[in-house]
Amino acid sequence: MAPRLQLEKAAWRWVETVKPEDIRQEHIELAYRVNLPACKRGTCRRNCKGNPNCLVGIGEQAWLGDIDENAFHNIDDPNSERRDKNTFVGLTNLGATCYVNTFLQVWFHNLELRRSLYQCHNTRAQEHNIESDYEPQSICEHLQYLFALLQNSNRKYIDPSGLVKALGLDTGQQQDAQEFSKLFLSLLEDTLSKQKNPNLQNVIQRQFCGQFSYVTVCNQCGRSSALPSRFYELELNIQGHKNLTECVTEFLKEEKLDGDNRYFCESCQSKQSATRRIRLHSIPPTLNLQLMRFVFDRQTGHKKKLNTFISFPEQLDMGPFLEGKEDQKCVYELSAVLIHRGISAYSGHYIAHVKDARTGDWYKFNDEEIEKMEGKKLQLGIEEDIAETVKSQTRKPKCSKGYHCSRNAYMLVYKVQEEENSDTSWTNVEVPAFLQRLVDQDNHKFEEWCREMAHMRKQSVDKGKAKHEEVKELYELLPARDGESYEFIPMDWLKKWLEDSTATREIDNSNFLCSHGKLHPDKVGDSKRVSLQASQVLYERYSGGPRLDGSSMCRECVGQRCRVLRLKNQLNEDYKEVTNLVKRTLSGEGYWVGKASLRSWRQLALEQLDEDEQETKHSNGQTNGQGPHNNSKEFGPELSEGNEDEMKTFNEDIVCCHGGLSILETERKLVSSDVWTKLREYFFKAPEFTQNQEACQQCLTLEQEEKDNEAVSKMMALDQKNQLINLFNEKNRPILNKWPQGTDVLYIVPLFFVDEWRKFIRRPTKSSPVSNVGNTLLLCPHGGFMFTYDSLINGDAQHVALLWPSEWEVIGRLFIVDQPISIHCFKQTTLNGPTTQYTTQPDYF
């Protein structure tokens, strides 16, 4: 048994020998456990909830020693959110938007694109009142503001939710990163094309757009045709390849067009075998190479990721792949590598390695976290060493100097190599004044937030230190010593006072009061007895009430509990006595008792005692059946909760709805006057019926009427069955596609009517008689029959029943027919021979 239950039992053990009228102060103090010994620190692992004198384990351990001031607050250092000097700004991952963040960082480091975006006309930003928050509208405005913040914000990372929302992206679901790159550049190109400045209208084309053509040569006539096309990125197949050169070579290789894939030659005017290849004419300053890692798997019907290692150079010479235009710059330098970490095409994490165009340093951009690579070298390192759930047979190949290998890189960004120039103006991109003003506004808000957080931290620390001193002082005063005055304080309040380092509510004892306005005995286990000196300090500092001292122990509640517990102890003896008396042969006058009541009378008696006990509780206390002394389990399994809902009042099971004795003799039993006298001690309000009590006359009358009605129903069912015996037995039924001889008309009723009628015939006392034939169910809203002869023989007959004319005559006499429905057969002899025609009445509408 739990210690709390042991303490509760011990507190009331004296009731076995003390009557309610003999209760003295010592018994009241036993019930409230005020003399239990107090626990000492180190002897209890946790607080003894049943002992009001145990003040150990209520949260004091955290205060009785030296405390780090950081324990007094949960506010991180606001400076941890501040951008370090000479570092870049990160982007918040909004759930599954890491792929967006990587592209934004790559595009931000494209200086020409950033410079051009800053030059875009933005009336909203230029005229913005800095007293309110700036809210960009268009994609161009969002990018302008975002890039300005990435460049000059004081924050360690910024929130891109405005742009993400404007793009209509789902922050909880990863999109196809490669598809997003294409769509975003297309959207940005369309937006910039509407700028008035002609230098801005084709920024995307100048930076990212190259040209190639599909050249097809007819094998028959040798005619060559070229289809020019623009590209913003080259999509390179990596399957079966080891390095980037192989991927580009395959992209440009010649393809044979034969068989079903032959080419229609304009010269030959017919389909001919041909060859086709891509001829690369020009390459943009920023060359995006998509490594097609995410491919469609025909077997599964889903995308899969190719974990193929691909080698790529830091310096890429595209000259061998170009045709014509020898004056083009063909040497490119690696400027960004976009990485997908994970084995699935539908999940994982995206990061970007980007080279700073100003310093040549490499950085790893991982949402909010940014890491500078050492030695100005690209270091993929850990990105390729992430534990995979699928064992790979491919070992990482050795890379030559100036090359890198990756099985997670899905996009490479190369920039054309520029001649060394001491003039660094081309790398300096200044934020225009109208945008810098908005950045300054955001920086000002950030600095205010930092100051506010620092002030809140200091306030929490100061309050915590003051609370520390208070607790150390008051905890020593809490124990109430023998002979000293004391008060009761809620244990939960004391715990909150010790747990909360900054704020404590006032003391509230209202839920601990009994109906007499004093401390309820059941609540003493949830309170603690403290010294009057300590309670005075607590009430002065935190106020509250009502205050509960030694005089607040309730004599009335103790007396009532004593009476109830004594009766509960007596209940078992009375139960045995009643059980034995019921088994004896009845002699003399008897009383009617419900059998269900007799089976559960001990439970009902216990509930009645519990109700008496609950009457002593405050209106805010627990309801019937939920008190801590509901000991129904001690009296056997028959006192289960399942029976409580069935029986609320003793003998109610033999009271009819008119308040008289029930006519169901099988549900009641005659008991002796001795049994009834004993039961009345517990149920003095129970309805009493002597042996000579007559059953309720109203119930007897109703019972007779019900029997008469059943007899009438049986006669009606028998008569209808005899008149329609074939319909009931489903014998000798007419069939439409084999029209019966001797009649030119059949009648129709709903099958539902026949089914309901048969139910009544089979069980006339349990089913209601059928009075109407609802043929209107088979009519359309215009009054026409819903079926034709052809539709009936093709399946619609399942909704209807066919009747012979003689049966229809009986139906008309026995039931109310709202609308006759019939089908007629007309036979004629013509020059072409005999013909048969079928019509319905009403006609099909």
Side-chain angles (χ1 to χ4, degrees):
M1 186 182 294
R4 178 167 184 165
L5 295 177
Q6 290 177 339
L7 291 172
E8 287 178 356
K9 281 191 168 292
W12 295 96
R13 192 169 290 129
W14 53 270
V15 303
E16 299 174 2
T17 57
V18 179
K19 296 180 180 179
E21 57 269 23
D22 297 332
I23 292 176
R24 298 191 301 274
Q25 181 64 24
E26 63 184 89
H27 302 122
I28 296 174
E29 291 182 354
L30 282 171
Y32 281 86
R33 310 168 216 171
V34 296
N35 295 320
L36 288 177
C39 300
K40 296 181 180 179
R41 291 191 66 199
T43 60
C44 285
R45 288 185 298 174
R46 57 180 178 223
N47 186 259
C48 304
K49 291 186 178 180
N51 184 355
N53 297 321
C54 178
L55 296 170
V56 177
I58 58 176
E60 78 286 352
Q61 302 92 332
W63 299 93
L64 303 180
D66 296 331
I67 303 178
D68 183 355
E69 67 176 33
N70 287 324
F72 296 130
H73 66 81
N74 58 356
I75 303 172
D76 292 333
D77 184 0
N79 287 315
S80 65
E81 304 287 307
R82 187 183 299 280
R83 176 184 186 180
D84 293 332
K85 188 176 181 181
N86 296 326
T87 59
F88 289 106
V89 176
L91 291 165
T92 304
N93 189 338
L94 305 176
T97 57
C98 50
Y99 70 99
V100 178
N101 292 345
T102 57
F103 282 112
L104 289 175
Q105 293 287 10
V106 170
W107 293 327
F108 170 76
H109 282 80
N110 188 309
L111 302 183
E112 182 61 29
L113 177 61
R114 195 198 316 173
R115 184 182 292 109
S116 299
L117 279 171
Y118 285 163
Q119 294 173 10
C120 290
H121 183 67
N122 188 342
T123 304
R124 183 179 288 101
Q126 292 172 344
E127 298 177 355
H128 174 68
N129 184 351
I130 61 173
E131 294 181 1
S132 61
D133 290 338
Y134 172 59
E135 296 182 359
Q137 299 296 322
S138 69
I139 301 299
C140 186
E141 291 175 3
H142 275 288
L143 266 184
Q144 268 189 337
Y145 186 46
L146 191 69
F147 281 8
L149 289 173
L150 286 174
Q151 186 165 338
N152 287 341
S153 177
N154 290 348
R155 301 177 188 268
K156 187 176 182 179
Y157 49 85
I158 58 177
D159 184 353
S161 56
L163 174 62
V164 171
K165 184 177 180 181
L167 292 171
L169 299 175
D170 182 353
T171 59
Q173 183 176 359
Q174 273 190 3
Q175 308 294 324
D176 186 317
Q178 294 173 325
E179 190 66 22
F180 168 76
S181 171
K182 297 177 191 175
L183 293 176
F184 188 83
L185 283 179
S186 175
L187 179 63
L188 189 58
E189 180 181 18
D190 181 64
T191 302
L192 292 173
S193 67
K194 299 173 184 177
Q195 289 287 320
K196 295 180 179 179
N197 186 342
N199 292 327
L200 301 178
Q201 293 175 356
N202 59 353
V203 170
I204 301 300
Q205 293 94 318
R206 289 202 311 268
Q207 273 296 303
F208 302 102
C209 184
Q211 290 186 337
F212 60 65
S213 60
Y214 294 97
V215 179
T216 307
V217 179
C218 176
N219 291 349
Q220 181 66 27
C221 67
R223 180 180 182 273
S224 174
S225 63
L227 178 64
S229 180
R230 298 191 306 176
F231 69 88
Y232 293 85
E233 54 195 22
L234 297 181
E235 297 181 351
L236 306 179
N237 173 41
I238 64 172
Q239 201 159 15
H241 300 304
K242 297 180 180 179
N243 56 59
L244 187 62
T245 301
E246 292 180 5
C247 297
V248 177
T249 301
E250 188 207 20
F251 180 77
L252 300 173
K253 78 175 182 180
E254 188 175 87
E255 175 189 4
K256 292 183 179 180
L257 305 178
D258 50 21
D260 293 337
N261 199 29
R262 287 182 299 168
Y263 157 76
F264 184 83
C265 177
E266 294 290 342
S267 297
C268 301
Q269 286 296 302
S270 62
K271 284 192 173 184
Q272 299 291 340
S273 297
T275 58
R276 175 178 292 167
R277 68 185 184 90
I278 294 175
R279 181 178 295 171
L280 204 55
H281 300 299
S282 65
I283 312 176
T286 300
L287 178 60
N288 293 326
L289 301 179
Q290 292 278 12
L291 305 182
M292 305 306 289
R293 288 205 176 274
F294 309 112
V295 297
F296 182 76
D297 188 340
R298 294 176 181 270
Q299 293 181 343
T300 63
H302 297 284
K303 280 188 176 182
K304 69 175 181 179
K305 181 183 177 184
L306 300 177
N307 293 301
T308 306
F309 275 106
I310 292 295
S311 169
F312 51 91
E314 292 183 359
Q315 190 176 83
L316 175 64
D317 185 2
M318 290 295 291
F321 306 111
L322 270 176
E323 298 191 17
K325 299 188 178 180
E326 287 78 6
D327 57 337
Q328 279 199 62
K329 295 180 179 179
C330 301
V331 179
Y332 284 77
E333 292 182 345
L334 185 65
S335 66
V337 180
L338 278 69
I339 298 288
H340 172 267
R341 301 196 302 195
I343 61 172
S344 170
Y346 297 97
S347 61
H349 186 58
Y350 292 87
I351 63 173
H353 292 263
V354 185
K355 184 178 182 180
D356 183 5
R358 298 171 304 162
T359 64
D361 294 325
W362 280 91
Y363 290 84
K364 182 172 74 173
F365 291 87
N366 185 4
D367 293 330
E368 296 92 345
E369 300 297 326
I370 299 173
E371 178 184 355
K372 182 181 178 182
M373 301 291 102
E374 296 180 3
K376 294 192 177 185
K377 295 289 184 181
L378 171 62
Q379 300 173 31
L380 297 178
I382 192 173
E383 316 309 336
E384 303 305 322
D385 298 334
I386 291 176
E388 302 282 3
T389 59
V390 178
K391 293 183 179 180
S392 176
Q393 300 296 325
T394 307
R395 298 184 62 183
K396 183 177 179 180
K398 293 183 179 180
C399 291
S400 305
K401 185 177 181 180
Y403 283 79
H404 299 277
C405 274
S406 173
R407 62 176 173 181
N408 285 324
Y410 71 93
M411 181 172 174
L412 306 175
V413 180
Y414 283 90
K415 290 186 178 178
V416 69
Q417 190 178 59
E418 301 289 347
E419 296 180 2
E420 292 188 8
N421 192 344
S422 58
D423 183 12
T424 59
S425 60
W426 71 276
T427 61
N428 293 327
V429 181
E430 298 293 335
V431 176
F434 74 93
L435 286 175
Q436 185 59 45
R437 189 168 62 100
L438 300 176
V439 174
D440 291 342
Q441 178 190 4
D442 184 74
N443 286 339
H444 178 70
K445 286 172 59 179
F446 173 70
E447 296 300 335
E448 282 188 341
W449 175 82
C450 287
R451 287 191 293 271
E452 182 180 350
M453 291 297 103
H455 179 65
M456 290 173 62
R457 273 169 59 108
K458 185 177 183 303
Q459 279 187 320
S460 296
V461 169
D462 292 344
K463 288 182 180 180
K465 289 180 177 179
K467 185 65 170 284
H468 187 199
E469 295 301 319
E470 175 188 271
V471 171
K472 286 197 297 185
E473 170 195 351
L474 276 178
Y475 187 75
E476 298 300 323
L477 298 177
L478 282 181
R481 290 166 176 79
D482 294 340
E484 293 183 354
S485 298
Y486 57 85
E487 290 193 22
F488 292 95
I489 299 289
M491 181 175 65
D492 283 344
W493 187 92
L494 286 172
K495 282 187 172 183
K496 290 245 176 36
W497 172 62
L498 290 167
E499 289 173 2
D500 194 342
S501 62
T502 58
T504 304
R505 294 179 297 179
E506 66 177 20
I507 302 170
D508 182 10
N509 286 322
S510 59
N511 289 331
F512 283 21
L513 301 181
C514 67
S515 58
H516 311 104
K518 296 186 176 183
L519 176 62
H520 196 286
D522 286 344
K523 295 295 184 180
V524 70
D526 297 320
S527 61
K528 294 299 175 185
R529 193 172 72 100
V530 304
S531 68
L532 179 62
Q533 183 182 2
S535 66
Q536 285 178 337
V537 174
L538 291 174
Y539 276 108
E540 285 174 3
R541 294 184 182 178
Y542 301 104
S543 70
R547 297 179 67 164
L548 302 173
D549 56 18
S551 65
S552 298
M553 295 183 289
C554 184
R555 176 180 289 272
E556 289 83 355
C557 285
V558 173
Q560 174 72 351
R561 178 65 57 78
C562 176
R563 183 188 71 83
V564 169
L565 291 177
R566 287 175 64 84
L567 281 174
K568 285 184 176 180
N569 292 336
Q570 182 184 336
L571 181 60
N572 274 345
E573 295 300 322
D574 288 343
Y575 178 75
K576 293 177 182 177
E577 183 179 353
V578 168
T579 301
N580 291 328
L581 288 173
V582 168
K583 293 178 181 178
R584 297 177 184 177
T585 304
L586 179 65
S587 61
E589 184 182 11
Y591 292 85
W592 288 112
V593 175
K595 290 182 178 179
S597 291
L598 195 58
R599 285 194 300 269
S600 59
W601 81 266
R602 183 170 59 171
Q603 174 194 353
L604 295 171
L606 185 62
E607 290 175 355
Q608 185 63 52
L609 293 174
D610 283 340
E611 287 180 8
D612 295 342
E613 187 177 359
Q614 295 297 329
E615 289 178 0
T616 65
K617 294 194 174 186
H618 191 262
S619 59
N620 289 337
Q622 296 161 315
T623 58
N624 186 25
Q626 296 177 332
H629 294 285
N630 188 348
N631 299 320
S632 59
K633 292 183 181 178
E634 298 177 10
F635 296 93
E638 68 275 12
L639 304 185
S640 62
E641 294 182 1
N643 291 331
E644 291 185 14
D645 294 334
E646 298 173 8
M647 188 72 61
K648 295 298 182 184
T649 306
F650 186 82
N651 248 10
E652 70 172 9
D653 51 322
I654 61 171
V655 178
C656 72
C657 60
H658 310 107
L661 179 62
S662 170
I663 63 175
L664 301 175
E665 294 189 16
T666 57
E667 295 184 0
R668 45 189 165 97
K669 179 181 178 63
L670 273 176
V671 299
S672 66
S673 58
D674 291 339
V675 172
W676 182 247
T677 300
K678 182 63 66 176
L679 293 173
R680 288 284 283 184
E681 291 180 7
Y682 292 92
F683 311 108
F684 59 90
K685 294 181 181 180
E688 181 179 286
F689 300 105
T690 63
Q691 182 178 355
N692 299 324
Q693 177 77 43
E694 293 185 358
C696 176
Q697 289 299 318
Q698 288 178 269
C699 289
L700 289 172
T701 302
L702 291 173
E703 182 184 36
Q704 187 59 45
E705 289 178 357
E706 186 175 350
K707 290 179 180 179
D708 294 343
N709 290 336
E710 288 180 356
V712 171
S713 294
K714 288 180 180 179
M715 292 175 59
M716 182 188 300
L718 182 60
D719 179 55
Q720 291 182 5
K721 177 181 177 182
N722 290 335
Q723 294 191 60
L724 297 168
I725 187 66
N726 285 339
L727 181 61
F728 176 75
N729 292 324
E730 294 189 73
K731 291 183 178 180
N732 190 25
R733 306 314 307 152
I735 302 174
L736 282 179
N737 54 7
K738 294 182 181 179
W739 188 272
Q741 298 294 325
T743 182
D744 59 355
V745 61
L746 294 174
Y747 291 87
I748 293 176
V749 294
L751 186 61
F752 173 77
F753 159 76
V754 177
D755 290 341
E756 291 299 308
W757 174 74
R758 286 187 181 127
K759 287 181 185 177
F760 169 68
I761 299 302
R762 292 189 183 101
R763 304 184 67 186
T765 61
K766 301 296 183 181
S767 303
S768 300
V770 180
S771 58
N772 296 287
V773 178
N775 268 356
T776 52
L777 293 172
L778 304 177
L779 302 181
C780 71
H782 311 97
F785 187 44
M786 289 195 295
F787 309 116
T788 63
Y789 172 80
D790 291 336
S791 71
L792 287 172
I793 65 175
N794 287 325
D796 285 341
Q798 64 179 327
H799 304 295
V800 302
L802 296 174
L803 304 180
W804 298 102
S806 59
E807 290 175 332
W808 177 254
E809 183 181 350
V810 175
I811 292 289
R813 291 199 310 271
L814 297 179
F815 306 100
I816 299 172
V817 180
D818 53 3
Q819 172 67 54
I821 300 176
S822 58
I823 183 165
H824 300 263
C825 173
F826 296 100
K827 296 183 178 180
Q828 294 178 336
T829 301
T830 65
L831 295 175
N832 296 325
T835 62
T836 304
Q837 184 179 0
Y838 300 93
T839 62
T840 62
Q841 185 63 37
D843 290 338
Y844 174 76
F845 193 88

